[in-house]
Amino acid sequence: MSPPKRSASSFGGGGRAGRASATSAAAGPGRPAGKKPQAARAKEPPKPAASPFIAALAELLRSRNLKIPPGLLEAPPEAYAGQTEAVVQTMARLKDEDLEARAGKVAGWGRRQAERAEQAWESSPLIVELRRRGLPEPARPTRVVGASFSLKKPLAEWTDEELQEAVATWARLASGDGSRS
């Protein structure tokens, strides 16, 4: 099967000579014929850029020679309620201690969510019943999610399959997979 035709571009010819030179360059001197050139290798996806709010908050902290708390630059929009960088201008009026405390809250949001998810998991009647029966637990969720299950009959009367399905549904919803199958 022949390679697909390419259109002409500013960095290489679109004709047969352009493909031939690219192929010979890939297996050029000192490089084995099967080795792919650097550009053809699979690249890791770039890290997402910090949101404008996070970037502005980090810059404000730096301008005051304050430490950027771990996790701030990776904080999801939920951690700061999707605020814009305009809010940082208002935050600039805060004292250093208050600003550090607010930045710490944003940075620690993920950890707090994981703690809440752990607490909800450990206190769940579903998990207590699952453990009482000696059934395997699915992976624990890292975020809190509200889930309700019909308790028309007591948990002790549920079959193992019903109990495992309810726990699996809860774990799936809390893991971020929104499918409800």
Side-chain angles (χ1 to χ4, degrees):
M1 185 171 166
S2 63
K5 292 183 179 182
R6 295 184 182 171
S7 61
S9 68
S10 61
F11 58 88
R16 187 166 288 231
R19 278 195 300 278
S21 63
T23 306
S24 62
R31 185 179 297 159
K35 182 142 176 132
K36 292 181 181 178
Q38 184 95 5
R41 290 186 196 138
K43 294 182 179 179
E44 291 182 28
K47 283 187 173 181
S51 75
F53 172 83
I54 294 295
L57 181 55
E59 184 57 36
L60 176 60
L61 291 168
R62 283 186 203 106
S63 71
R64 292 192 185 182
N65 294 323
L66 300 174
K67 181 183 170 197
I68 295 176
L72 179 67
L73 299 177
E74 298 84 26
E78 296 87 3
Y80 49 90
Q83 295 294 327
T84 65
E85 67 271 15
V87 174
V88 177
Q89 294 173 357
T90 304
M91 293 173 73
R93 298 183 206 146
L94 295 173
K95 297 177 187 174
D96 286 353
E97 300 80 30
D98 294 337
L99 183 60
E100 282 180 317
R102 303 251 175 139
K105 284 192 175 220
V106 171
W109 184 86
R111 178 187 44 78
R112 289 191 312 276
Q113 290 302 307
E115 289 170 359
R116 288 181 186 132
E118 177 76 15
Q119 182 183 16
W121 185 266
E122 291 297 326
S123 65
S124 168
L126 290 174
I127 301 306
V128 170
E129 183 66 18
L130 197 72
R131 289 176 181 161
R132 186 185 70 76
R133 295 182 189 192
L135 299 172
E137 292 181 35
R140 293 175 185 226
T142 56
R143 65 186 189 123
V144 179
V145 66
S148 62
F149 300 96
S150 174
L151 294 175
K152 290 182 180 177
K153 62 181 180 179
L155 281 175
E157 295 177 15
W158 285 27
T159 65
D160 288 353
E161 292 77 25
E162 289 173 324
L163 182 60
Q164 288 177 314
E165 176 60 29
V167 172
T169 300
W170 179 27
R172 186 177 58 250
L173 290 172
S175 69
D177 178 12
S179 61
R180 296 176 184 246
S181 54

